[in-house]
Amino acid sequence: MWFRRDLRTHDHPALRAAIAQSRGGPLLPLFVIDPVEWQEWGEPARAHLTASLRALAEDLGGLHVRVGDPVAVLPALAGELGPLSVHVSADHAPRVRGRDAAVAAALVGSGSRLVASGSHYAVPPGTVLKPDRTPYRVFTPFHRAWEAVGWPPPVPPGPRPRILAVSGAQSPPPVQLPAGLLLPPAGERAALAAWRAFADGPLAQYDTDRDRPDRPGTSRLSVHLRWGEVHPRTLLAGLGTSRAHVRFRTELAWREFYADVLHRHPETEWATLDPTFAAMQHDEGPEAEQAFAAWAHGRTGYPFVDAGMRQLRAEGWMHNRVRMVVASFLVKDLHLPWRRGAAEFMRWLVDGDVASNAHGWQWVAGCGTDAAPYIRVFNPVTQGLRFDPEGDYVRRHVPELRDLPGAAAHEPWRHPARRRGDYPDRIVDHAEERAEALRRFAAVR
Ligand code: FAD
């Protein structure tokens, strides 16, 4: 059983298939650290993965780790152990599809085969189609059709596998976590505990609290879903018909929608879905670089933006409302390409997911799926006042503003005497930059 982003033992069709095929014989649980992929992940994601592999090894009673290109590692293992059936969860990410095809081809020579089952989604990407058999580009009708296609209940647990121990195991490279970064526990047990805690508490108010970064209103399950420590089917099976539950199911559907869009348009990992935007004019040069650095380090002088970027560096996660506001700020106030922001997110996010990240950014930048027209520009101050009305979120993440009470934390320029340390002045004027963004948009249109 070759684990990838499915680091769990329950509700796992591929593991179930591997156990069934081994018919009580030994099973080798394997994880391959591909140095290329490892390099691409940020340190927070690597730390989470390392902890998650430890948890999986404990839950299974063993996990064989190898470091190398899977296209070479899998055939080498088949050479050592004899012909293998290599079970995997089907992965629809553009690059993984190509890699899996290469592994399958490389296995043929040893009489081995790659067997894919399940997927990381309730409904596998590529399944939901319009009546005319073409894919959806708009969320609402996709969502309706996704619900109509439906999904099976969670896969019941199989018998406990007999774990094969083989020599040659390697360890993940050491990880040096950036100072001040605190990550939540990894692994399936942590994921299920987080789901239970959310389902027994905040879920009941999810429809009203999900937009409030000052409250613990969301599940924070994105990290566990990213690494497959829980399958979305398990979450969907626990939902009823209340407004809050329906809303939570809708958010899970966004994850499925973006995976479907990326599956159909693999180039949109870094290219705009709407080609009109390829001609968009961006700022360049030393000032643009300075502006990018100020944004990345949470030093724009706009407290809600800065709190978000500092939360990202402190927790490897950011609240969805704030992701939208910081993304809008980079693209429409600083006139920098969304790709740069997406790459910075991937460097820090533990839940960094190619589909949700690329299309979350494109949604905000107005160049992706339909929902946010370019002309809707988030105002970083009014967004803060609306979704963090008492300023608690800002004060939690921006210590220089801790002496500003209540909503005053969102407008420190009105209270210069109460700022601590060297909190910066606003690096741009939002009203002016909004007008400039609209001018550039009109030019490409
Ligand atoms: P909850 O509110 O508890 O939602 C439950 C689950 O639904 C989430 O865990 C997630 O899997 C899914 N979900 C919720 N909102 C969205 C959404 N807008 N798009 C897709 N799935 C959603 N999510 C990622 O998982 N990885 C990313 O790399 C990522 N990058 C993003 C970049 C930008 C610019 C934006 C605007 C959004 C991005 N999102 C990403 C979506 C969303 O912000 C996170 O999924 C959410 O904040 C995770 O917190 P949670 O688990 O508490 O969410």
Side-chain angles (χ1 to χ4, degrees):
M1 172 68 217
W2 175 20
F3 288 91
R4 290 100 65 89
R5 48 180 299 184
D6 49 356
L7 306 177
R8 66 182 183 280
T9 61
H10 291 87
D11 194 5
H12 197 315
L15 179 60
R16 196 57 213 261
I19 293 171
Q21 198 186 351
S22 69
R23 292 201 194 86
L27 178 131
L28 177 69
L30 171 74
F31 190 90
V32 183
I33 294 183
D34 178 343
V36 175
E37 224 173 25
W38 182 263
Q39 271 311 315
E40 284 173 3
W41 292 327
E43 215 65 348
R46 292 180 199 153
H48 184 93
L49 170 64
T50 305
S52 192
L53 293 179
R54 255 195 316 269
L56 182 64
E58 275 172 28
D59 294 346
L60 281 167
L63 178 70
H64 188 76
V65 175
R66 290 260 172 126
V67 179
D69 180 351
V71 179
V73 170
L74 271 303
L77 266 174
E80 292 165 32
L81 303 173
L84 301 171
S85 287
V86 180
H87 286 265
V88 292
S89 297
D91 197 316
H92 298 79
R95 281 191 278 168
V96 181
R97 264 188 287 162
R99 200 256 332 259
D100 282 358
V103 171
L107 282 170
V108 171
S110 61
S112 302
R113 60 192 188 120
L114 192 71
V115 187
S117 13
S119 89
H120 306 310
Y121 301 92
V123 179
T127 309
V128 179
L129 291 167
K130 290 187 200 164
D132 68 1
R133 313 295 298 161
T134 59
Y136 288 96
R137 275 172 77 119
V138 177
F139 175 71
T140 305
F142 170 91
H143 179 205
R144 256 195 309 273
W146 174 80
E147 294 259 12
V149 170
W151 43 86
V155 177
R160 222 182 141 72
R162 193 152 67 76
I163 301 300
L164 177 67
V166 299
S167 60
Q170 294 167 292
S171 303
V175 179
Q176 191 74 48
L177 263 195
L181 182 76
L182 265 182
L183 297 181
E188 182 175 31
R189 273 169 288 146
L192 294 175
W195 167 231
R196 272 192 301 273
F198 177 69
D200 292 345
L203 176 58
Q205 289 88 45
Y206 182 74
D207 52 331
T208 51
D209 279 3
R210 59 177 291 276
D211 260 330
R212 292 288 299 267
D214 55 336
R215 296 181 180 161
T218 70
S219 69
R220 299 192 71 147
L221 285 163
S222 53
V223 171
H224 302 301
L225 287 163
R226 157 67 182 87
W227 295 100
E229 295 163 351
V230 64
H231 194 280
R233 236 181 347 242
T234 304
L235 311 182
L236 289 162
L239 296 176
T241 53
S242 71
R243 279 170 73 100
H245 286 214
V246 167
R247 186 72 220 203
F248 190 71
R249 188 158 45 239
T250 303
E251 296 311 311
L252 291 172
W254 274 105
R255 175 176 178 270
E256 309 243 338
F257 175 57
Y258 286 150
D260 191 78
V261 175
L262 187 71
H263 175 70
R264 316 273 186 190
H265 304 278
E267 73 288 354
T268 59
E269 180 177 348
W270 297 113
T272 55
L273 183 68
D274 179 346
T276 322
F277 282 79
M280 191 72 169
Q281 186 202 340
H282 296 118
D283 282 2
E284 286 173 2
E287 270 182 36
E289 290 313 308
Q290 259 177 15
F292 181 80
W295 174 82
H297 287 92
R299 294 190 56 79
T300 66
Y302 284 94
F304 202 46
V305 173
D306 294 342
M309 294 308 291
R310 295 191 196 189
Q311 179 176 37
L312 176 64
R313 284 176 176 239
E315 300 177 12
W317 183 85
M318 195 195 302
H319 189 278
N320 181 61
R321 169 61 46 181
V322 196
R323 288 189 208 209
M324 294 195 283
V325 173
V326 304
S328 176
F329 192 82
L330 185 81
V331 173
K332 295 179 185 170
D333 287 77
L334 301 183
H335 316 295
L336 292 171
W338 65 266
R339 289 178 203 82
R340 289 204 63 186
E344 180 69 11
F345 265 33
M346 289 305 265
R347 189 176 149 212
W348 290 97
L349 283 174
V350 179
D351 69 20
D353 170 84
V354 171
S356 294
N357 190 49
H359 284 286
W361 273 91
Q362 296 203 43
W363 185 91
V364 174
C367 59
T369 54
D370 67 305
Y374 190 86
I375 48 167
R376 199 184 298 152
V377 180
F378 285 106
N379 179 318
V381 180
T382 51
Q383 285 283 309
L385 291 169
R386 179 158 168 218
F387 295 109
D388 177 33
E390 296 305 319
D392 293 332
Y393 175 75
V394 160
R395 278 186 300 276
R396 198 178 305 147
H397 294 288
V398 188
E400 303 97 295
L401 302 177
R402 281 192 186 145
D403 289 341
L404 288 170
H410 288 289
E411 295 175 284
W413 48 89
R414 289 180 190 271
H415 314 272
R418 301 187 84 159
R419 281 192 247 167
R420 274 193 230 165
D422 65 342
Y423 188 71
D425 290 327
R426 285 166 288 179
I427 59 170
V428 290
D429 178 303
H430 172 68
E432 278 173 22
E433 302 311 333
R434 176 177 184 279
E436 173 62 13
L438 297 182
R439 191 193 62 73
R440 293 188 193 196
F441 173 62
V444 294
R445 233 190 9 178

